[in-house]
Every structure is written in structure tokens, then in C-alpha cells.
Amino acid sequence: MFNFDFYNPTRILFGQGRVADIDKHIPPHAKVLVLYGGGSVKATGTLKEVLTALNQRQVLEFGGIEPNPSYETLMQAVDIVKTQQIDFLLAVGGGSVIDGTKFVAAASVYDGDARDILKTRGTVIKKALPFGSVLTLSATGSEMNNGGVVTQKSTQTKSAFFSVHTFPQFSVLDPTKTYTLPTRQIANGVVDAFVHITEQYLTYPVNALVQDRFAEGLLLSLIEIGEQALHHPQDYDTRANLMWIATLALNGLIGAGVPQDWSTHMIGHELTALYGIDHARTLAIVLPAMLSVRKEAKQDKLLQFAQRVWQINEGTEQQKIALAIAKTREFFERLGVDTSLSAYNISAEHIDNIINQLQNHKMTALGEKREVNLDVCRQVLTQCL
Ligand code: NZQ
Ligand code: ZN
């Protein structure tokens, strides 16, 4: 196992009816900016519940954070924070709203050009405003991690940033808040969490017994409840399990002390920035092809995945690996998530464009061993067709 630091200060307020408890975790005299997306929180009543829980505090609202939040929109919120002397932020929404709020928290107190935060992947962040979140979509894990992803529309650049200062102070995880999600977003959430786990698990063995078993437990649980979550929107236990699985998939626990890949995500980010495909849907396209192109480098873990997650015990090693990848693809397809570029009308002539963007964004040495160069990306994208 590698050396590691594990630090996660986010308080989780889990369960039905927990929105009311935010009152205990925000300073009583704070001036609060509540940030949200395109309006689902108004339609579902969650925003009203949040405003009631905020009690007598001075509260301003900032709506309109789009899926794949943009730098351009978020800078408008930064302006409000500065001019209105806001001292606490509250994100109410999915990963996009929480990521956007992290950016606003850091950019509002940053002295230079806020784009530095994106250019440096967050290393320039030395402080941030305190913030909490009320989660309405199980997928990204943003509610309990310190990362965010923001898109600069002008250059079609989707950049991730991280900082010890951008953990939420608290996150409310009330599974009933996800009852109103369209099935497409539920399916996206299952796929995103699945691929967060594989990016930290399907690398090479370092004898990290419990990280492997945690990852396998999360994958098995997702496979068990993924379709149920689609078909039984008001089943509390299913939604509760999905919510906690997605949080644990990317809160640092399973990734501590093990190699990590993230190449599927980096290629996926380019597909979202160029063609507007939902984040999780890009991952469903790239992951099966990535595993197949890199099956030698990942052989030991792919065999472990085949045996422990998909219960494949027959056949040669190569057959087991091929079947495990096929079963992963079938799982995504059963959730209604397509696994090829052609499903989005993207064909061979678009590949150069994607490769150019990877190069522009310096994504030229990806993967757990930095061996996913542009040639490997091209092979992967060709297999995605
Ligand atoms: O904008 P509103 O009106 O709220 O509607 C949203 C949005 O259209 C809707 N929605 C959310 N909760 C709902 C709801 N509709 C009905 N009922 C509810 N309860 O769902 C749509 C998608 O929301 P979004 O927040 O964009 O989805 P998600 O949580 O999947 O977040 C995706 C973003 O997170 C980033 C992605 O790149 C993408 O930008 N990621 C962040 C990560 C992190 N911070 O650690 C890791 C991930 O790998 C990912 O990259
Ligand atoms: Zn993701």
C-alpha cells in the first residue's frame, strides 16, 4: 500500500427530514447566499424548505447554475458575494451546483484572476468562504470531497480543481430529495459512481485489502440496486443506498493508498465540453473501450474484478476479462445509457478534434502509470465508435 494522508472534515446529515438541521451548522448571524441550478429546487419545494430552515438569517439567492457549471455564470455569483459581503454559501442541487459553489467560495476571496484556480488545478487556493450543501442528485460525490469541475465556455475547456479549503462544512443527504429526478439522471448517477470506483480500483494491485473490498462492495451494491433505483422512484431504501454509495465512491476513502487512473474521466470531459454529452454518459462510452485497450496493464485487477464483482470463474484469463468488460457494458446499457460514440452521431472524423483538445489541455500522459498518451487515447476513441 502507498503512503497516504486521509482527511475529510465534511459532516454528513443523512436521512429524511434533515434539511431543518442546517440551522445548527451555520453561524446564526451569517449572511447567506443560497446557490441553485435551473429551477428544479423551486419546483420540488426543496428551496422553500431550505429558506425556512435558514430562519432569521439574511439570505440572498443565486439561481441559474447550469449542468457542467460555467466560469462565466459563476463569476456573476462571485460579484454578488463581494458586493453584498456574503459570509456563508449554501449549495442546493446536484454536482454542478456544489462544484460551482466550491469555485465561488474560492474565487470570492482570491486576489488575482480567478481563472488561475482552473489553470493550476486549485493549487493557488489559499482560503475559501465556508459553505454547506443540500444534495438533490446522487452521482458525483462532490458533497463530501474537495474537488470541482468548471467549464470555460469560451475555450470549451472543462477543468478540475482541488483544495483542502473546498470541502463542504456539511452536506444534507436526504434520499427523498431524489424522488423527483428524471430516470435519465438516476441512470447517470449510477454510472458516474460506478466509474468513480473503477478509476480507483481497476489499476494494479498494491495489496490494499480493505480498499479493494470496499470498492468491490460498492460495485456489487450498485449492480444490485441500479435498475431498482430507476424503476421504483419512491423506494426509500433503494434511494438511500444509492445516495450513500455515490458519496462513498468519491470521498477519498477507497482511493487512499492505492494507484488511481482517471483517464476515462479526462477523455469524458473533452466529450462533454465539445459535444454537450452528459458527464456520466461520456464515461459509459469510454470505460469499456479503455479497459479493453489497457487490459494488459490492468490484467491482475481485471481478473479480480471478473471474479469478485461479476462472479466469472470459467474460461481462460483473457475470456474472463473480456466477459467482465462485456458485463459492465451490458449493465450500463440496461440502465438506458448508450456505450458508443455513434449513438451520439460522433464518427471517425471527429476523433482528431477530440485528440487536439486533449493535447491543448495537456492530457497527454494519463492513467495510473502515465502511459495513456495521445496514441492510446486515439485507440480508445476508435474502439468507442
Ligand atoms: O439545474 P436544475 O434545475 O436543478 O436541474 C438539474 C440538472 O438539470 C437536475 N436535478 C438535480 N436534482 C434534481 C433534478 N431534477 C429533478 N429533481 C431533482 N432532485 O438534474 C440535472 C443534472 O444536474 P447536475 O448537477 O449537472 O448533475 P450531476 O450531479 O451529475 O453533476 C454533474 C457535474 O459534476 C461534475 C461533472 O463533470 C458535471 O459537471 N463532477 C464532479 C465531481 C466532483 N466534484 O467530485 C466528480 C465527477 O466525476 C464529475 O466530474
Ligand atoms: Zn464522474
Side-chain angles (χ1 to χ4, degrees), residues 139-141 149 158 188 191-196 199 250 262 265 269 279-280 282-283:
T140 64
V149 190
K158 202 169 178 204
N188 284 356
V191 171
D192 195 19
F194 193 100
V195 182
H196 291 161
E199 299 272 34
L250 197 51
W262 298 106
H265 267 72
H269 286 173
H279 170 64
T282 68
L283 307 177

Side-chain angles (χ1 to χ4, degrees), residues 160-367:
F161 64 92
F162 306 86
S163 164
V164 72
H165 304 289
T166 51
F167 280 102
Q169 290 201 339
F170 64 80
S171 286
V172 175
L173 274 58
D174 176 346
T176 66
K177 299 288 168 231
T178 70
Y179 286 177
T180 54
L181 281 163
T183 49
R184 167 174 139 189
Q185 296 299 344
I186 291 288
N188 284 356
V190 173
V191 171
D192 195 19
F194 193 100
V195 182
H196 291 161
I197 302 162
T198 60
E199 299 272 34
Q200 301 165 88
Y201 166 70
L202 285 178
T203 56
Y204 56 89
V206 292
N207 221 355
L209 297 186
V210 82
Q211 291 91 325
D212 280 4
R213 297 280 189 198
F214 275 148
E216 289 152 3
L218 294 171
L219 290 170
L220 285 163
S221 307
L222 272 178
I223 293 163
E224 187 173 325
I225 64 160
E227 284 167 88
Q228 269 162 251
L230 287 190
H231 303 307
H232 304 285
Q234 309 250 333
D235 180 327
Y236 181 83
D237 285 338
T238 303
R239 290 295 169 95
N241 278 301
L242 178 55
M243 198 166 231
W244 191 224
I245 292 165
T247 301
L248 289 172
L250 197 51
N251 74 345
L253 187 65
I254 65 168
V258 300
Q260 302 194 13
D261 182 343
W262 298 106
S263 53
T264 293
H265 267 72
M266 294 308 118
I267 297 176
H269 286 173
E270 302 302 347
L271 295 175
T272 299
L274 285 172
Y275 308 111
I277 305 171
D278 291 352
H279 170 64
R281 285 168 191 260
T282 68
L283 307 177
I285 297 167
V286 178
L287 181 74
M290 180 66 76
L291 295 180
S292 149
V293 167
R294 298 203 59 232
K295 60 179 185 261
E296 268 126 49
K298 292 179 180 292
Q299 171 149 342
D300 292 344
K301 290 306 279 287
L302 278 168
L303 283 168
Q304 187 176 321
F305 174 63
Q307 192 208 343
R308 294 192 190 172
V309 176
W310 292 113
Q311 281 83 48
I312 300 168
N313 297 306
E314 309 282 307
T316 64
E317 292 192 339
Q318 288 317 310
Q319 285 166 338
K320 287 179 185 169
I321 289 172
L323 187 56
I325 297 171
K327 281 182 176 287
T328 302
R329 185 189 291 279
E330 282 163 22
F331 177 58
F332 296 160
E333 295 273 355
R334 276 204 307 280
L335 295 167
V337 180
D338 289 313
T339 57
S340 70
L341 285 170
S342 52
Y344 298 90
N345 297 320
I346 297 170
S347 50
E349 68 260 27
H350 294 91
I351 291 182
D352 280 345
N353 208 10
I354 305 166
I355 295 289
N356 286 343
Q357 283 296 76
L358 283 163
Q359 183 153 36
N360 293 341
H361 300 144
K362 302 191 173 60
M363 297 294 163
T364 53
L366 303 172

Side-chain angles (χ1 to χ4, degrees), residues 13-41:
L13 305 168
F14 193 97
Q16 188 159 11
R18 299 306 305 276
V19 169
D21 293 330
I22 61 177
D23 187 34
K24 298 181 198 144
H25 301 288
I26 301 175
H29 301 293
K31 188 168 179 185
V32 181
L33 183 66
V34 176
L35 300 100
Y36 53 89
S40 73
V41 294

